[in-house]
Amino acid sequence: MAGAGSAFADDSVNTGYFGGVAIMGYDTVAYFTEGKAVKGSEEFSYEWVGTPWHFASKEHKEMFKSEPAKYAPQYGGYCAGEVALNESVTVNVDPEAFKIIDGKLYLIYDEGNAAAFADNADDLVPKGDAKWPVVAAKLAVDEPDWNVINNP
C-alpha cells in the first residue's frame, strides 16, 4: 500500500478478541478531530484492508475514506509499546489509551503506559517502526502461533 508507511505494512488490523471491528468500534478520525476516544456506529461503517471501521458521523467516515492511512493507528492498532519494546503484540488495547505523536495515532494497552510511551516517543517510535515489519510478517501467517509472536 503506497503511502501507508509503518501503519499497515501488511494490512494487519487488530480487531481485538471480540467484535471483529477495528479499534473495538471506536472512531479513528475522532482521535484527531476531537482529541478523545469516541465510539463509532455501524450506521457509519466502512471496510478497509478487509476490516470494518466504525465512525461517529458520515463526515468522519468520508474523511477516513479519502485518506485512511492518515487516520489509521500505527502498527495495525496493536499496542505501540509492545511492538517497540518487545517485538510482539498485545491484542487487547484500551481505546481510551492513545497518543497522537507527530500526526500519527498510537494505541496503547492502558493509560499509564500511554503516558510513558509519549514521554519516551523519541526512542520508542523509531524502535516500533523498525520492529513492526517483523511483527507484521509474523501476523501475516494464516494461523499465527501467538507464542512465537509474543516470544521473539
Side-chain angles (χ1 to χ4, degrees), residues 99-151:
K99 293 295 177 185
I100 295 178
I101 301 167
D102 295 330
K104 295 180 180 180
L105 173 62
Y106 296 87
L107 298 175
I108 315 291
Y109 180 74
D110 63 28
E111 291 186 32
N113 284 317
F117 185 87
D119 289 346
N120 296 290
D122 289 343
D123 179 48
L124 295 177
V125 168
K127 283 182 179 177
D129 289 350
K131 292 179 180 180
W132 174 242
V134 175
V135 174
K138 292 177 185 177
L139 290 169
V141 175
D142 287 337
E143 294 182 30
D145 181 342
W146 291 100
N147 290 321
V148 171
I149 291 170
N150 291 322
N151 297 302

Side-chain angles (χ1 to χ4, degrees), residues 23-87:
I23 316 176
M24 294 181 227
Y26 281 74
D27 179 342
T28 191
V29 174
Y31 291 108
F32 295 90
T33 61
E34 299 180 33
K36 64 181 181 178
V38 175
K39 193 74 170 165
S41 168
E42 279 188 58
E43 178 183 356
F44 305 112
S45 184
Y46 175 70
E47 189 165 312
W48 182 61
V49 294
T51 303
W53 298 71
H54 292 175
F55 303 93
S57 69
K58 183 178 179 181
E59 177 186 15
H60 283 190
K61 175 183 171 181
E62 294 304 318
M63 290 171 70
F64 183 81
K65 283 174 66 173
S66 70
E67 295 183 275
K70 174 181 177 179
Y71 297 107
Q74 299 301 289
Y75 317 135
Y78 292 95
C79 176
E82 189 70 19
V83 171
L85 293 171
N86 299 315
E87 197 175 283

